[in-house]
């Protein structure tokens, strides 16, 4: 009976060995393995480059075909593996079924086989994790309290402690305009503890064997922690950026606090984005916050809307106004409806302009006050009008000055009353015309009455002076019956 050498009928030959090279020229994820009992440790007998290329078996959850699945396989030089030969006789087609973790006790001897020819693995200190010799090959992060010695967790806790308590926004105190205003006590928040606890113990989280860790060569980490009551998900970049989800919190930190760990965050959404926060939200930035909306911006506030600005506030409406060299076209409007009071206090000055746009269809300022309009000016008050000016009152109107009140016109001044006009001075009253003046009373029975120093009334209507006897002919003296003005 002839021997059959095809796989499955030619026996099963298995092996253990060490990966010595993973630079597969075919990029299939193959590795070169030195197999115990089949190969010598002497590199002169069989150099690393002459070892057979071993295919790596993938699990049924990984198709390992056309870029699908987890490829390439994650085996590094120095890894202990177990497998079998597809060709039981020639033993040139090894298949690796798995890896064998252990307790490495020495760094590689590059002069011998069954070692990492590059001298990298195992090492007495892995930079990104502080993993060393004489400890389990399982990640520190999966070994309970040992996780606190992992560099990634040490730095996460350190970054949190270096981040001060973050103060949230507070409302301004407006007692100057509202006596019911109150000073608000500032609230704050802090970054949650990594792993959701101040430190890892034997029961709270990361407990072996419930924490399943994937740790890459450069230091990227994935944790799926099934610790009872301490379940977590962690995804962390080597630079410190991470997302961690615990039973009660989700923490996203972009970069660390030291300079070479700083990182930026970008979120690009090509469709719609919807965010619903059922509780409160706080946004704090140490730098400048810019918010640009290319379309409409609709803000609906169910309660109060409060702004507190430590510096200046600048608002420009109609910013896309077009200047064609002759006129400015376009612009925007501000429309407000206040169904209560508007109270303000300006500790400095106020200045403004209305109707300065050349092509503006409306340059008017119209204010309707249904009640009283009271203004108190601490210094001078000047009103300049280039057109006509009208002050009209349907009831009484008064102009009062504690010192001097002056009315000046470069042309005429008219005082018109529908009934009586009274002019009264507490001391002297001077009426003077720089040119020829006329005092005219055109009504019937008009009377001008004055009182002399003795209080005697002098009535100018029908009043004549008595002429003293000069001894001169009366005709020469003139008409003694003429009224005296």
């Amino acid at each position: 009976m002839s021997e059959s050498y095809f796989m499955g009928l030619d026996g099963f030959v298995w092996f253990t060995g060490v990966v010595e090279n993973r630079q597969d020229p075919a990029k299939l994820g193959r590795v070169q393995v030195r197999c115990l009992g089949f190969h010598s440790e002497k590199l002169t007998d069989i150099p690393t480059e002459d070892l057979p290329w071993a295919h790596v078996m993938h699990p049924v959850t990984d198709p390992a075909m056309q870029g699908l699945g987890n490829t390439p396989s994650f085996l590094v030089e120095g890894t202990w593996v177990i497998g079998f030969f597809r060709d039981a006789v020639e033993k040139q087609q090894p298949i690796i079924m798995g890896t064998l973790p252990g307790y490495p006790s020495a760094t590689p001897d590059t002069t011998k086989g069954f070692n990492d020819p590059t001298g990298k693995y195992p090492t007495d200190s892995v930079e990104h994790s502080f993993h060393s010799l004489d400890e389990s090959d399982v990640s520190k992060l999966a070994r309970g309290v040992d996780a606190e010695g992992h560099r990634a967790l040490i730095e996460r806790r350190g970054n949190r402690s270096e981040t001060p308590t973050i103060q949230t926004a507070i409302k301004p105190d407006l007692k100057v305009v509202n006596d019911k205003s109150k000073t608000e006590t500032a609230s704050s928040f802090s970054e949650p503890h990594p792993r959701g606890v101040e430190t890892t113990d034997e029961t709270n989280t990361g407990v072996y064997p419930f924490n399943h860790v994937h740790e890459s060569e450069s230091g990227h980490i994935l944790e799926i922690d099934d610790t009872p009551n301490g379940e977590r998900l962690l995804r962390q970049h080597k630079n410190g950026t991470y997302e961690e989800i615990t039973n009660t919190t989700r923490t996203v930190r972009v970069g660390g606090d030291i300079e070479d760990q700083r990182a930026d965050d970008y979120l690009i959404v090509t469709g719609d984005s919807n965010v619903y926060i059922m509780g409160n939200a706080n946004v704090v930035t140490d730098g400048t916050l810019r918010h640009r909306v290319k379309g409409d911006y609709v803000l609906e506030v169910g309660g109060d809307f409060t702004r507190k600005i430590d510096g200046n506030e600048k608002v420009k409406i109609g910013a896309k106004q077009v200047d064609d060299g002759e006129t400015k076209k376009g612009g925007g409007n501000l429309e407000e409806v206040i169904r209560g009071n508007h109270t303000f206090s300006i500790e400095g000055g106020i200045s403004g302009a209305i109707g300065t746009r050349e092509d503006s269809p409306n340059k008017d300022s119209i204010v309707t006050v249904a009640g009283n309009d009271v203004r108190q000016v601490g210094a001078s008050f000047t009103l300049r009008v280039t057109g006509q000016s009208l002050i009209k009152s349907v009831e009484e109107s008064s102009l009062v000055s504690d010192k001097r009140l002056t009315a000046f016109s470069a042309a005429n001044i008219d005082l018109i009353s529908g009934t009586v006009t009274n002019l009264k001075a507490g001391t002297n009253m001077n009426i003077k015309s720089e040119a020829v003046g006329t005092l005219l009373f055109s009504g019937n029975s008009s009377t001008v009455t004055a009182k002399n120093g003795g209080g005697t009334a002098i009535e100018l209507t029908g009043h004549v002076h008595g002429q003293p006897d000069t001894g001169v002919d009366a005709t020469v003296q003139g008409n003694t019956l003429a009224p005296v003005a």
Side-chain angles (χ1 to χ4, degrees):
M1 183 176 181
S2 62
E3 286 186 286
S4 176
Y5 290 104
F6 64 88
M7 186 172 60
L9 293 180
D10 54 1
F12 180 81
V13 179
W14 65 275
F15 65 85
T16 59
V18 176
V19 175
E20 292 190 6
N21 182 30
R22 53 175 161 157
Q23 301 298 326
D24 182 6
K27 297 183 180 179
L28 288 171
R30 299 178 303 171
V31 293
Q32 287 179 294
V33 180
R34 190 176 297 272
C35 304
L36 283 174
F38 299 99
H39 304 131
S40 168
E41 71 172 3
K42 294 181 180 180
L43 299 179
T44 55
D45 291 343
I46 179 169
T48 298
E49 57 267 24
D50 291 339
L51 292 171
W53 285 100
H55 283 270
V56 179
M57 184 182 296
H58 288 242
V60 295
T61 56
D62 189 342
M65 182 181 71
Q66 288 200 309
L68 304 177
N70 297 309
T71 54
S73 56
F74 188 14
L75 296 177
V76 300
E77 291 84 356
T79 301
W80 281 87
V81 297
I82 186 170
F84 64 93
F85 292 104
R86 288 194 299 180
D87 54 339
V89 177
E90 295 182 354
K91 301 177 181 59
Q92 295 300 304
Q93 299 179 38
I95 301 292
I96 295 175
M97 295 186 296
T99 61
L100 299 172
Y103 275 79
S105 60
T107 56
D109 184 349
T110 58
T111 65
K112 297 180 180 179
F114 301 105
N115 286 273
D116 176 3
T118 68
K120 184 176 181 179
Y121 296 108
T123 178
D124 54 1
S125 180
V126 179
E127 182 180 359
H128 73 262
S129 67
F130 296 151
H131 209 107
S132 61
L133 300 174
D134 295 316
E135 68 171 306
S136 169
D137 278 331
V138 173
S139 171
K140 289 177 181 287
L141 297 172
R143 302 190 333 242
V145 294
D146 291 348
E148 295 298 327
H150 195 288
R151 177 175 178 175
L153 185 54
I154 292 173
E155 290 187 351
R156 283 171 59 200
R157 295 201 185 282
N159 287 337
R160 179 194 179 275
S161 63
E162 292 173 5
T163 302
T165 299
I166 302 169
Q167 179 178 315
T168 63
I170 60 174
K171 298 178 181 179
D173 189 351
L174 303 176
K175 285 188 175 65
V176 65
V177 295
N178 185 350
D179 56 6
K180 294 182 180 180
S181 178
K182 296 181 180 179
T183 301
E184 187 176 52
T185 302
S187 60
S188 61
F189 66 92
S190 298
E191 180 181 338
H193 287 286
R195 292 193 157 202
V197 294
E198 291 190 39
T199 187
T200 306
D201 63 27
E202 294 293 351
T203 61
N204 55 17
T205 190
V207 175
Y208 181 86
F210 300 108
N211 193 21
H212 312 288
V213 179
H214 176 85
E215 189 170 333
S216 74
E217 271 188 277
S218 65
H220 305 314
I221 298 169
L222 295 175
E223 292 185 49
I224 301 177
D225 191 352
D226 292 327
T227 301
N229 300 318
E231 295 85 354
R232 294 178 301 111
L233 293 174
L234 172 74
R235 178 179 59 170
Q236 180 170 343
H237 189 276
K238 61 168 291 187
N239 79 337
T241 295
Y242 73 91
E243 177 189 35
E244 185 166 46
I245 303 172
T246 70
N247 287 330
T248 58
T249 62
R250 172 178 174 263
T251 303
V252 178
R253 184 185 183 96
V254 181
D257 275 349
I258 60 178
E259 190 64 33
D260 61 357
Q261 288 182 337
R262 298 295 172 88
D264 300 326
D265 186 30
Y266 294 86
L267 174 63
I268 309 297
V269 181
T270 59
D272 297 332
S273 177
N274 299 285
V275 179
Y276 177 36
I277 301 173
M278 301 181 72
N280 300 322
N282 293 300
V283 177
V284 180
T285 176
D286 288 339
T288 299
L289 175 63
R290 295 179 182 269
H291 192 180
R292 184 184 181 195
V293 180
K294 292 185 177 180
D296 295 336
Y297 185 15
V298 179
L299 175 65
E300 180 179 347
V301 181
D304 297 334
F305 181 30
T306 304
R307 292 183 300 180
K308 180 182 178 183
I309 302 172
D310 291 340
N312 302 319
E313 179 177 16
K314 301 176 182 179
V315 180
K316 185 173 184 179
I317 299 175
K320 285 191 175 182
Q321 186 180 73
V322 178
D323 189 346
D324 62 4
E326 297 181 358
T327 59
K328 294 181 179 180
K329 300 178 180 179
N333 301 322
L334 174 62
E335 300 172 359
E336 293 180 312
V337 175
I338 301 175
R339 293 184 172 176
N341 298 323
H342 181 193
T343 306
F344 64 90
S345 173
I346 301 175
E347 297 182 358
I350 182 171
S351 61
I354 298 174
T356 57
R357 187 171 134 198
E358 294 179 0
D359 66 331
S360 176
N362 189 352
K363 300 177 182 290
D364 299 333
S365 173
I366 300 174
V367 178
T368 300
V369 181
N372 298 324
D373 185 6
V374 179
R375 301 191 183 205
Q376 182 174 337
V377 181
S380 62
F381 174 69
T382 303
L383 177 63
R384 292 188 178 93
V385 182
T386 57
Q388 292 183 349
S389 175
L390 172 64
I391 299 177
K392 181 178 180 180
S393 173
V394 297
E395 296 186 3
E396 295 184 359
S397 179
S398 301
L399 293 176
V400 180
S401 173
D402 290 341
K403 292 185 178 180
R404 184 166 184 164
L405 179 64
T406 302
F408 171 79
S409 172
N412 299 332
I413 293 181
D414 296 327
L415 295 177
I416 302 173
S417 172
T419 56
V420 179
T421 300
N422 297 318
L423 297 177
K424 180 180 179 181
T427 55
N428 297 330
M429 176 181 291
N430 298 318
I431 300 176
K432 180 180 179 182
S433 174
E434 296 292 342
V436 177
T438 300
L439 186 60
L440 175 64
F441 293 87
S442 60
N444 295 329
S445 302
S446 297
T447 302
V448 176
T449 303
K451 293 184 179 180
N452 58 23
T456 303
I458 303 174
E459 185 173 324
L460 301 184
T461 301
H463 173 73
V464 296
H465 282 282
Q467 297 291 339
D469 185 3
T470 60
V472 182
D473 186 87
T475 303
V476 178
Q477 291 183 14
N479 184 4
T480 60
L481 298 179
V484 178

